[in-house]
Amino acid sequence: MKIEAKKKFGQNFISDQNLINKIVSILGDDKDQLIIEIGPGTGALTKLLAQKYNKVVAIEIDTDMEVILKREIPNKNFELFLSDVLLVDFEKLINEKKQHENQKVSIISNMPYYITSEILFRTLNVSDKLTKAVFMMQKEVAVRVCSYKGENNYNNLSVACEFYADKKYEFTVPKHKFYPLPKVDSAIISLSFNNKYTNQIENKEKFLVFLRKIFNNRRKTILNNLSNVTNDKAKANEILDNVGIDKSLRPEVIGLEDFIKIFLELF
């Protein structure tokens, strides 16, 4: 019997066991992990996660799923956290649920399309506590996240994810794999967090705000966009001269390392 999905929660369920195995395998074979799942739904992924890893905490907004999840996943290492994920203090949750200091922490989610960006940025904000994130999202957004400079879909989200992690477009998930049938295909991406770039910038949230402003009008030149940030075109000219970046370039053809240079020069 299929559970009726609720449109208000952006629910789309998967039941293909081969697909489930393939998604979970991206988290790796290290059994001693704390896994945080966002939106377990009926527990298709959760069941395998609880079998494979030492501790699984699932955050679910739909209280109707509580009975189903607790019945389907009786494992002692599984804990259900009934809450809107956008209200969860991730840092506090991780600190409370980690079983020891060296335990790896990973996040996995079949993300509701309507809050994909919010979940992504909340994940990035606690990236220093995470090893990996595995997300299923709308294919169009996944392509954007995994784009690099010069590619059509490259934007501030692409740069932000590259800033925090090695990003990878894992594979496409056709829409017929879900019920109810969504209008578009999905994709799995993975983010493997590192400090390759984050150590260069102290105020990371300020850098993300800067990126959003720089891409505010991606068809304008970097000089025009930076002038909107500085409110001073002469200052923007000076910054770009100092870091050696062509003022006629558009943000979509400028890479992460150059954005870092501009930011550090600006602030």
Side-chain angles (χ1 to χ4, degrees), residues 84-203:
D84 179 344
V85 68
L86 300 184
L87 300 178
V88 174
D89 184 333
F90 274 96
E91 186 166 0
K92 182 181 178 184
L93 179 69
I94 291 167
N95 289 338
E96 288 177 353
K97 303 305 177 184
K98 276 186 75 169
Q99 295 166 311
H100 58 84
E101 186 178 345
N102 295 322
Q103 187 174 33
K104 292 179 181 177
V105 183
S106 295
I107 289 181
I108 188 169
S109 179
N110 174 10
M111 299 165 85
Y113 289 167
Y114 70 103
I115 54 170
T116 295
S117 292
E118 289 95 328
I119 292 175
L120 262 174
F121 280 110
R122 288 172 65 82
T123 301
L124 297 180
N125 285 337
V126 292
S127 65
D128 59 323
K129 296 184 175 294
L130 301 172
T131 300
K132 182 172 277 194
V134 176
F135 290 135
M136 185 187 300
M137 60 183 65
Q138 191 172 336
K139 182 181 177 181
E140 179 185 349
V141 181
V143 170
R144 195 175 303 144
V145 167
C146 294
S147 291
Y148 289 91
K149 69 175 181 178
E151 297 179 352
N152 288 338
N153 294 280
Y154 183 69
N155 70 353
N156 67 295
L157 188 58
S158 318
V159 184
C161 289
E162 185 183 355
F163 175 63
Y164 284 98
D166 292 326
K167 54 189 187 178
K168 183 180 179 185
Y169 186 101
E170 297 283 353
F171 56 87
T172 301
V173 183
K175 58 187 177 182
H176 70 259
K177 294 286 186 179
F178 297 89
Y179 71 90
L181 188 71
K183 294 179 181 178
V184 296
D185 290 338
S186 296
I188 302 292
I189 70 156
S190 65
L191 300 173
S192 299
F193 298 104
N194 57 58
N195 56 15
K196 181 179 177 182
Y197 295 108
T198 52
N199 282 347
Q200 298 179 44
I201 292 178
E202 186 175 347
N203 192 330

Side-chain angles (χ1 to χ4, degrees), residues 227-244:
S227 297
N228 290 334
V229 176
T230 61
N231 294 315
D232 182 342
K233 194 161 189 174
K235 176 69 173 173
N237 261 298
E238 181 186 352
I239 290 169
L240 294 174
D241 281 339
N242 289 346
V243 297

Side-chain angles (χ1 to χ4, degrees), residues 98 112 218 252 254:
K98 276 186 75 169
R218 64 197 292 268
E252 62 194 30
I254 295 174

Side-chain angles (χ1 to χ4, degrees), residues 244-261:
I245 293 173
D246 185 341
K247 299 166 195 173
S248 67
L249 294 177
R250 292 171 175 166
E252 62 194 30
V253 297
I254 295 174
L256 169 61
E257 292 182 0
D258 282 334
F259 284 125
I260 291 173
K261 289 176 186 176

